[in-house]
């Protein structure tokens, strides 16, 4: 990683922006030994159930005693969920900054409440009078909180993802796109309208987003209609020679969004630095800067400022492509004042049905999808018949109570683990993991997590070590700057999940460090810490 890490995880709105992504592209290995630093007793359990460092693999204690951690606090918990036996324990009831390990809780709530097989059905109603092929009135698209609207759905019905998701393209190099069409669901709706016999709409197309109100306290902010994660993808490729204009492609192409580029190709080995600016409510996007001739295509994103308005235009354009003419001006506003009170008796002329929720949960957990994690809170509110996203937290609390998870050992103000107030103990995360082991969805949930050395945010860790493919875990990170000492402050690096111990036994575990720091300000120095956590998980799995 050569670019600065753009995350300020101890601030509202950008907290935990790293979201465990620092585990990407790390090589396996261990740190050098250092003089021991003050640590919990290695022999005597504490009153809170600590076993200290007793019995730990020496490779783990060697990591924990490195100089980088002399002012840090370690937490560790490993249990055998079959009998509740504690294998290792270090400050299990102490609050730690969770980073994206908080998603283990926030994803579990919707998974349980909605069900693994729940599908979002987004209907399109004809509101008006129909005379043959002509509708005199409106087509109303009623948004249902579908996370992808077909934009990631493979032909086999599974949801596509890459190990480093496009939602992180502005913060980390190497993010890539899935090949699926972001407008696939919108295009399907348009074709269904045409198949219903409608070829002309003397009226408008309206996106009905009354399902819930966007809550700015949830960042990124979920909306009832989401297309392409509410982002415009911008892909820059070097030109044929130094000095030539770089090539640009972008998606999804929907009016009135316009994208221009002044990016120039520079000699191989020269810096690649592309800046994205957006004006006019985000509809005018311009790229400037340089890209090296030997650079891989560089992905950046720009936010969609008005998701409902964007969806309206996208659907009008899709209808025209399908052979349905709409008389309304595509560039006009989304006329929500025309929406009916309800749709009783209105004919449904089209509907898009999503993959099952378990597929969305897998996407959220594998790539640490922040928008999807926050969306889950709003969806829980909807199940409580509320359009206020904070109403989802009591639903989540009720689920945790039913699951036997001590929710007082967690503090959450969002779904992604990014609020400065968010905290979780090792014990509460292990309880959450143990709950799933007692359900019919145990394997489905476990395999939705990143797998060490195989996929998701652990794809590049430990690819040749014995634990490869035997650790299923959610990772978390919170990293910011320390201007006083010209270094990076590591609020937290965490990992929690399952250890395949063989014979059908999957131990639940948590490992995390709060309050570490790097020697200098080079972002790559954080990689040593994230790699330490990945290796601790590997050593826990390998230990008898």
């Amino acid at each position: 990683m050569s670019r600065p890490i753009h995350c300020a995880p101890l601030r509202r709105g950008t907290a935990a922006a790293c979201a465990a992504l620092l585990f990407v592209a790390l090589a396996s290995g261990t740190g050098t030994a250092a003089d021991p630093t003050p640590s919990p007793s290695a022999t005597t359990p504490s009153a809170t159930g600590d076993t200290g460092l007793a019995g730990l693999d020496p490779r783990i204690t060697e990591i924990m005693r490195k100089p980088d951690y002399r002012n840090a606090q370690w937490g560790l918990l490993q249990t055998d969920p079959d009998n509740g036996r504690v294998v290792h324990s270090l400050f299990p009831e102490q609050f730690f900054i969770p980073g994206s390990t908080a998603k283990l809780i926030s994803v579990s709530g919707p998974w349980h409440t909605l069900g693994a097989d729940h599908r979002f059905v987004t209907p399109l109603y004809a509101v008006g009078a129909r005379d043959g092929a002509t509708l005199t009135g409106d087509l109303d698209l009623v948004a249902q909180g579908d996370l992808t609207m077909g934009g990631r759905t493979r032909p086999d019905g599974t949801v596509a993802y890459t190990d480093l998701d496009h939602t992180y393209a502005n913060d980390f190099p190497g993010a890539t796109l899935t090949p699926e069409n972001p407008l696939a669901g919108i295009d399907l709706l348009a074709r269904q309208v045409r198949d219903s016999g409608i070829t002309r709409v003397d009226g408008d197309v309206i996106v009905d987003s009354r399902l819930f109100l966007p809550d700015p306290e949830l960042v990124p902010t979920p909306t009832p209609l989401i297309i392409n994660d509410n982002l415009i993808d911008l892909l820059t490729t070097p030109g044929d020679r130094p000095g030539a204009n770089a090539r640009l492609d972008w998606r999804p192409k929907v009016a009135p969004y316009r994208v221009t580029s002044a990016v120039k190709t520079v000699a191989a080995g020269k810096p690649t630095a592309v800046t994205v600016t957006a004006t006019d409510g985000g509809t005018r996007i311009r790229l400037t800067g340089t890209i090296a001739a030997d650079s891989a295509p560089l992905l950046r994103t720009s936010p969609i400022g008005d998701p409902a308005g964007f969806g309206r235009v996208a659907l009008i354009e899709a209808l025209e492509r399908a052979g349905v003419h709409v008389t309304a001006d595509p560039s006009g506003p989304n006329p929500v004042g025309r929406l009916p009170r309800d749709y009783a008796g209105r004919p449904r002329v089209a509907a898009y049905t999503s993959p099952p929720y378990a597929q969305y949960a897998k996407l959220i957990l594998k790539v640490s999808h922040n928008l999807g994690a926050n969306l889950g809170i709003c969806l829980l509110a909807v199940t409580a018949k509320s359009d206020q996203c904070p109403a989802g937290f009591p639903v989540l609390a009720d689920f945790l109570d039913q699951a036997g998870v001590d929710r007082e050992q967690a503090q959450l103000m969002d779904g992604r683990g990014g609020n400065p107030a968010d905290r979780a103990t090792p014990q509460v995360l292990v309880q959450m993991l143990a709950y799933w082991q007692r359900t019919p969805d145990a394997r489905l949930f476990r395999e939705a997590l990143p797998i060490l050395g195989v996929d998701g945010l652990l794809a590049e860790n430990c690819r040749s070590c014995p634990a490869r493919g035997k650790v299923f875990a959610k990772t978390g990170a919170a990293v910011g700057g320390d201007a006083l000492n010209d270094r990076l402050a590591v609020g937290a690096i965490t990992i929690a999940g399952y250890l395949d111990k063989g014979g059908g036994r999957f131990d639940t575990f948590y490992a995390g460090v709060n309050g570490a720091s790097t020697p200098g300000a080079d972002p790559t120095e954080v990689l040593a810490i994230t790699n330490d956590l990945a290796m601790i998980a590997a050593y826990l799995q390998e230990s008898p």
Side-chain angles (χ1 to χ4, degrees):
M1 297 172 65
S2 59
R3 297 179 64 245
I5 298 174
H6 295 295
C7 47
L10 302 183
R11 296 178 183 174
R12 183 67 179 93
T14 54
C18 293
L21 290 173
L22 295 172
F23 282 79
V24 174
L26 303 179
S28 62
T30 62
T32 57
D35 292 335
T37 56
S39 63
S41 167
T43 57
T44 306
S46 75
T48 59
D50 293 342
T51 59
L53 304 183
L56 274 176
D57 188 312
R59 296 173 294 182
I60 296 177
T61 57
E62 181 181 39
I63 290 173
M64 290 181 171
R65 288 169 169 162
K66 289 168 64 174
D68 289 346
Y69 307 122
R70 66 179 179 271
N71 302 122
Q73 175 65 65
W74 283 94
L76 183 72
L77 185 60
Q78 178 185 348
T79 69
D80 179 348
D82 291 338
N83 54 28
R85 181 176 66 90
V86 174
V87 182
H88 298 295
S89 177
L90 193 64
F91 299 116
E93 296 180 357
Q94 180 168 310
F95 273 135
F96 287 82
I97 298 170
S100 285
T101 54
K103 292 183 174 75
L104 292 170
I105 295 174
S106 64
V107 170
S108 293
W111 186 315
H112 168 82
T113 304
L114 299 175
D117 295 327
H118 175 81
R119 296 174 186 266
F120 299 88
V121 180
T122 303
L124 185 67
Y125 291 97
V127 179
R130 181 171 173 178
D131 182 8
T134 299
L135 171 67
T136 302
D138 303 326
L139 290 175
D140 292 358
L141 178 65
V142 186
Q144 296 295 309
D146 187 329
L147 180 57
T148 70
M149 278 298 293
R152 293 180 185 253
T153 305
R154 300 186 182 103
D156 64 358
T158 59
V159 172
Y161 61 89
T162 61
D163 292 330
L164 184 52
D165 192 64
H166 79 136
T167 54
Y168 289 104
N170 292 349
D171 297 303
F172 296 91
T176 54
L177 296 171
T178 60
E180 285 72 28
N181 175 13
L183 298 176
I186 295 296
D187 286 342
L188 178 61
L189 288 168
R191 291 194 297 270
Q192 290 180 7
V193 172
R194 179 63 182 84
D195 291 343
S196 76
I198 296 174
T199 60
R200 181 180 175 87
V201 178
D202 283 334
D204 216 321
V205 170
I206 311 173
V207 172
D208 184 340
S209 292
R210 294 178 291 186
L211 184 70
F212 60 80
L213 297 174
D215 183 354
E217 290 299 304
L218 299 176
V219 181
T221 303
T223 51
L225 182 68
I226 298 171
I227 297 174
N228 201 44
D229 301 310
N230 291 341
L231 295 172
I232 302 293
D233 295 318
L234 310 160
L235 193 65
T236 299
T237 304
D240 296 330
R241 53 181 174 75
N245 293 330
R247 292 186 287 272
L248 170 69
D249 193 14
W250 60 283
R251 71 176 204 183
K253 293 182 173 68
V254 172
Y257 282 74
R258 298 288 183 269
V259 181
T260 58
S261 174
V263 177
K264 294 292 185 181
T265 307
V266 295
K270 293 290 186 180
T272 292
V274 174
T275 299
V276 178
T277 56
T279 57
D280 292 344
T283 62
R284 297 295 181 267
I285 303 169
R286 183 166 177 80
L287 287 74
T288 56
T290 59
I291 186 168
D294 59 345
S295 174
L298 180 71
L299 180 64
R300 292 287 183 267
T301 63
S302 187
I304 293 171
D306 178 8
F310 182 88
R312 172 186 174 272
V313 178
L315 182 53
I316 290 174
E317 293 179 345
L319 288 165
E320 294 288 349
R321 292 192 297 270
V324 180
H325 177 64
V326 180
T327 60
D329 181 2
S331 63
N334 185 41
V336 294
R338 295 165 61 109
L339 291 172
R341 184 172 183 175
D342 57 49
Y343 294 94
R346 316 284 186 178
R348 191 175 82 171
V349 294
Y352 177 75
T353 301
S354 78
Y357 179 78
Q359 281 292 311
Y360 284 174
K362 184 176 183 179
L363 166 67
I364 296 167
L365 294 170
K366 290 286 189 186
V367 309
S368 209
H369 197 286
N370 289 327
L371 180 63
N374 281 343
L375 175 64
I377 302 299
C378 300
L379 294 175
L380 289 177
V382 172
T383 67
K385 303 188 184 308
S386 173
D387 63 358
Q388 305 289 322
C389 290
F393 285 105
V395 182
L396 180 59
D398 288 344
F399 157 67
L400 295 175
D401 291 344
Q402 296 170 26
V405 176
D406 183 2
R407 58 183 168 90
E408 291 189 359
Q409 294 194 46
Q411 298 175 175
L412 291 180
M413 284 293 292
D414 62 11
R416 70 186 185 109
N419 189 284
D422 289 350
R423 296 290 186 274
T425 68
Q427 190 169 77
V428 75
L429 294 175
V430 165
Q431 287 176 351
M432 189 75 266
L433 292 160
Y435 160 79
W436 285 108
Q437 293 289 72
R438 304 188 296 269
T439 72
D441 287 339
R443 179 177 178 179
L444 192 61
F445 184 84
R446 181 174 66 247
E447 294 182 352
L449 299 172
I451 303 173
L452 187 68
V454 176
D455 67 10
L457 294 179
L458 289 172
E460 299 302 321
N461 290 91
C462 212
R463 292 183 67 86
S464 60
C465 69
R468 181 179 187 268
K470 299 177 182 179
V471 176
F472 306 77
K474 185 73 197 74
T475 53
V479 181
D482 176 7
L484 178 66
N485 298 292
D486 191 26
R487 62 184 181 181
L488 294 176
V490 183
I493 303 291
T494 56
I495 184 169
Y498 302 99
L499 307 169
D500 183 353
K501 304 296 284 187
R505 171 181 160 184
F506 292 90
D507 281 12
T508 49
F509 84 99
Y510 166 96
V513 62
N514 277 190
S517 56
T518 60
D522 184 350
T524 60
E525 294 173 351
V526 181
L527 302 183
I529 301 175
T530 59
N531 193 57
D532 282 347
L533 268 293
M535 294 313 301
I536 286 174
Y539 297 149
L540 288 173
Q541 188 282 324
E542 294 171 16
S543 299

